[in-house]
Amino acid sequence: PNVQPEYSIFAEDAEAFTKLQSGFEVDLVHPCNGWWGLYVEQGVVQPIDTSKLANWKGVDPKLAAMGQFNGKQYFVPWDWGYESILVRTDKVKTVPESWADLTNPEYAGHLALWDSGESNQIIAALALGFDPWNTTPEQDDQIKQWLIDLKPNLLTYWVDFSELSQSMASGDVWVAANVWADTYRSLLEQGVPVQYVEPKEGKLGFVCGFGISSNVKDLELAYAYIDAALAPESMAAFSNLYGYGSSNRDALPLIDPKVVQLFQLDDPTALEKTNFYRPLTAEQRERFTSMWNEVKAAP
């Protein structure tokens, strides 16, 4: 309680990973699971002794397993959630039912995409019927062309949820892709008529969490921070505020039942239908980033 944490904010996982690779000094880092393996591979995080975390006992084993590499726990899962299509139902005649429907010319000039190469690689692959994590060079060319062909519908690339919320509330954006639960929750509270779509190929899903830097300055304090974040009261407050899921199952009884129902936080089958991000290789990271830069540069 007597320590004031200092934060460095990053817009997208690629940025955070690059910063740590370049020697940026932190005690803790909070990336998402598609990037965890790269942190371990590059040696920028250290194994975590979960016996030092009093609240570890409530962490969902399936989520915990995502943070394990080489038989050791390197990341503590904290939050999980969905990425899906959000629609202004008062602005469109046709609500999309698939990721492929983003190409509908009805949305011309009113579509927003998240500025993330990894995410757009995945949604384009799903739209085309490919396995996003096992594509051939020919399929990658089709993915890039699909995203380029989508540009006539594009109004903007969004970076943070508050920016996207404002654009949708104003009516500039009618359809947005890879939207997180906090944007949906915020717009509902503002009375904006929006629908969070369940694409036929499934939503995307992420798990994010804490890793301890290999160059940590205060290891004891790092463990204390993680344990405090995992406390059921902390996790429930987070879920109630943003609508994300909690990795600590002991928090579920403390979460507002309306939030639980709205985001299916207690429904294990909902997770089974979700396309969770998977660990990336360095080659995939570079390929997705390069592809996305080419898409954005295309006329």
Side-chain angles (χ1 to χ4, degrees):
N2 298 320
V3 176
Q4 181 62 48
E6 296 180 8
Y7 298 95
S8 177
I9 307 300
F10 58 88
E12 204 253 341
D13 274 307
E15 177 188 345
F17 180 66
T18 300
K19 289 177 74 169
L20 262 71
Q21 268 191 313
S22 64
F24 186 73
E25 292 188 356
V26 297
D27 291 323
L28 291 168
V29 64
H30 179 264
C32 294
N33 63 304
W35 293 75
W36 289 352
L38 294 174
Y39 280 84
V40 175
E41 180 182 299
Q42 293 296 314
V44 294
V45 291
Q46 61 179 274
I48 292 175
D49 182 357
T50 57
S51 69
K52 295 183 178 181
L53 302 172
N55 292 301
W56 177 257
K57 63 183 183 300
V59 174
D60 187 306
K62 293 182 180 178
L63 300 182
M66 295 185 186
Q68 295 168 5
F69 299 87
N70 306 317
K72 298 178 181 179
Q73 193 77 42
Y74 277 88
F75 281 91
V76 171
W78 190 57
D79 51 313
W80 64 267
Y82 303 115
E83 291 178 15
S84 195
I85 303 169
L86 190 63
V87 184
R88 277 288 301 259
T89 53
D90 60 330
K91 297 290 186 180
V92 304
K93 295 179 180 178
T94 310
V95 174
E97 299 178 350
S98 161
W99 291 105
D101 292 340
L102 295 177
T103 60
N104 188 335
E106 179 186 339
Y107 313 143
H110 296 282
L111 172 69
L113 295 180
W114 186 26
D115 192 1
S116 165
E118 179 187 11
S119 298
N120 284 288
Q121 165 83 15
I122 294 171
I123 67 169
L126 291 173
L128 293 167
F130 304 151
D131 178 346
W133 294 274
N134 293 285
T135 53
T136 66
E138 292 77 15
Q139 289 174 335
D140 286 337
D141 288 340
Q142 293 179 58
I143 286 170
K144 182 172 73 172
Q145 190 60 50
W146 188 87
L147 290 166
I148 291 173
D149 292 343
L150 191 60
K151 294 187 79 169
N153 279 7
L154 187 69
L155 173 66
T156 187
Y157 299 110
W158 68 271
V159 176
D160 69 81
F161 87 96
S162 59
E163 167 198 354
L164 181 60
S165 293
Q166 292 170 9
S167 297
M168 295 202 77
S170 69
D172 293 333
V173 172
W174 298 352
V175 179
N178 294 92
V179 179
W180 310 325
D182 43 14
T183 305
Y184 178 41
R185 177 84 180 277
S186 172
L187 290 171
L188 285 179
E189 291 176 347
Q190 295 175 54
V192 179
V194 287
Q195 179 178 337
Y196 203 43
V197 175
E198 178 77 55
K200 68 179 184 180
E201 306 91 347
K203 298 187 185 80
L204 272 60
F206 60 83
V207 180
C208 305
F210 295 102
I212 299 178
S213 169
S214 299
N215 299 316
V216 61
K217 301 297 183 184
D218 192 327
L219 184 60
E220 182 179 348
L221 197 58
Y223 275 107
Y225 185 99
I226 295 174
D227 204 31
L230 281 178
E233 296 81 4
S234 299
M235 290 253 60
F238 175 77
S239 293
N240 286 333
L241 184 60
Y242 292 107
Y244 292 152
S246 163
S247 68
N248 189 342
R249 295 175 299 181
D250 294 340
L252 194 60
L254 305 178
I255 300 174
D256 184 338
K258 293 181 181 178
V259 174
V260 173
Q261 181 179 13
L262 185 63
F263 296 106
Q264 303 169 300
L265 300 185
D266 61 344
D267 182 0
T269 64
L271 298 183
E272 293 170 4
K273 295 182 292 185
T274 301
N275 301 290
F276 277 95
Y277 284 93
R278 302 179 190 176
L280 294 179
T281 65
E283 183 274 332
Q284 286 175 315
R285 178 181 70 90
E286 294 171 4
R287 180 158 49 89
F288 294 172
T289 300
S290 176
M291 176 277 297
W292 186 233
N293 289 335
E294 291 174 17
V295 169
K296 290 196 293 184

